[in-house]
Amino acid sequence: MYHIDIISIQPQLLTGPFDHSIIKRAQQKGLLEVKVIDLRPYGSGKHKQVDDYAFGGGAGMVMKIEPIANCIEELKKHRSYDEVIYLTPDGEQLNQNICNELSLKKNLLLLCGHYKGIDERIREHFITREISIGDYVLSGGELAAAVLVDSIGRLLPGVLNDETSALTDSFQDNLLAPPVYTRPAVYNDWAVPEILLSGHERKIKDWQYEQSLERTKTRRPDLLE
Ligand code: 6GU
């Protein structure tokens, strides 16, 4: 079973996303286990402080080293992780290749940052990989962690069925997916492309491939380079 632990100071943000649809089914089938660990109890002092002022000044608080280090070390007593991933806007940008690669692992530990980031020494000594989900800033790593869990979870063997197969996803072959249609075949006077109703499996596949290629050329030419 694939196991993902997520360290967060906002665990409430991660209660909803995994309780529905495909990722819920993956967990019910025993293919995936996701556990959210609240960092707060690891905080320092009476107030369980998890952040502090930055050395050298500057705006914004920094997440302290001890709570995170203690939390990671506690978790490592019970499990060895293939990767310890810090979700951060200055990480490597997530793409389907990374999702595919991570789906072949077994145990991940995800660390969600907040404020102005985490003490750099955590990154140097505990983190094996840093991932961003795009060039924009979120208020914390939780939503990015949810994106990562979803994109990995749906790739695990047995999670998707033939109809939802990941093999026909956009990006899986560096092409965007072709347009899709369902009933009715005509709505107002907007008809579904005739080829799709023809029953010619080979011709339909060719058409879908051409559409994928065309769509990729116009929307994401960078994928074809
Ligand atoms: Cl992983 N974290 C935050 N805070 N913002 C982001 C991000 C991650 N990826 C894109 N923006």
Side-chain angles (χ1 to χ4, degrees):
M1 159 142 62
Y2 202 105
H3 185 95
I4 304 178
D5 281 333
I6 309 175
I7 300 174
S8 164
I9 57 164
Q10 299 245 267
Q12 328 85 272
L13 283 177
L14 291 166
T15 50
F18 312 131
D19 292 345
H20 304 279
S21 189
I22 286 170
I23 298 305
K24 178 185 184 175
R25 191 146 34 88
Q27 294 177 95
Q28 286 171 336
K29 282 183 172 174
L31 302 170
L32 170 67
E33 186 171 46
V34 183
K35 208 175 125 204
V36 181
I37 297 100
D38 187 1
L39 185 64
R40 182 63 64 174
Y42 294 88
S44 309
K46 199 171 65 188
H47 297 105
K48 299 290 171 193
Q49 193 182 352
V50 292
D51 61 328
D52 207 340
Y53 295 99
F55 277 129
M61 305 292 275
V62 174
M63 286 176 71
K64 288 167 64 60
I65 190 166
E66 302 99 317
I68 298 173
N70 291 339
C71 183
I72 292 177
E73 265 161 4
E74 176 66 24
L75 291 170
K76 278 185 169 175
K77 284 182 197 161
H78 304 286
R79 190 180 299 277
S80 65
Y81 296 97
D82 302 305
E83 301 273 14
V84 181
I85 299 173
Y86 175 45
L87 284 312
T88 176
D90 59 2
E92 174 186 16
Q93 191 163 321
L94 186 63
N95 58 33
Q96 194 61 45
N97 279 341
I98 298 174
C99 298
N100 292 347
E101 185 192 327
L102 292 176
S103 75
L104 301 175
K105 313 273 186 186
K106 276 264 166 307
N107 290 291
L108 296 186
L109 177 54
L110 310 184
L111 174 62
C112 306
H114 266 265
Y115 316 112
K116 278 290 156 191
I118 63 175
D119 190 298
E120 187 68 19
R121 292 166 290 184
I122 291 288
R123 300 172 71 156
E124 288 168 8
H125 298 286
F126 292 99
I127 301 299
T128 62
R129 191 153 191 176
E130 303 187 324
I131 291 177
S132 161
I133 63 164
D135 289 343
Y136 43 84
V137 178
L138 302 169
S139 51
E142 282 77 8
L143 297 181
V147 166
L148 189 58
V149 170
D150 188 278
S151 60
I152 292 170
R154 60 191 296 286
L155 295 175
L156 302 178
V159 170
L160 298 184
N161 51 38
D162 277 351
E163 274 101 272
T164 55
S165 167
L167 294 174
T168 56
D169 287 343
S170 279
F171 304 113
Q172 213 43 283
D173 43 13
N174 267 338
L175 289 177
L176 300 181
V180 293
Y181 301 86
T182 186
R183 292 184 290 182
V186 181
Y187 176 80
N188 293 340
D189 57 353
W190 309 328
V192 166
E194 230 171 279
I195 182 78
L196 295 177
L197 312 175
S198 70
H200 285 117
E201 209 173 320
R202 183 69 250 163
K203 285 186 182 170
I204 292 172
K205 285 266 176 298
D206 288 348
W207 180 87
Q208 288 171 328
Y209 179 72
E210 273 166 35
Q211 293 287 315
S212 280
L213 206 54
E214 194 48 43
R215 202 159 253 211
T216 311
K217 273 184 201 157
T218 52
R219 297 179 185 210
R220 291 295 305 278
D222 58 295
L223 292 176
L224 297 171
E225 279 158 20

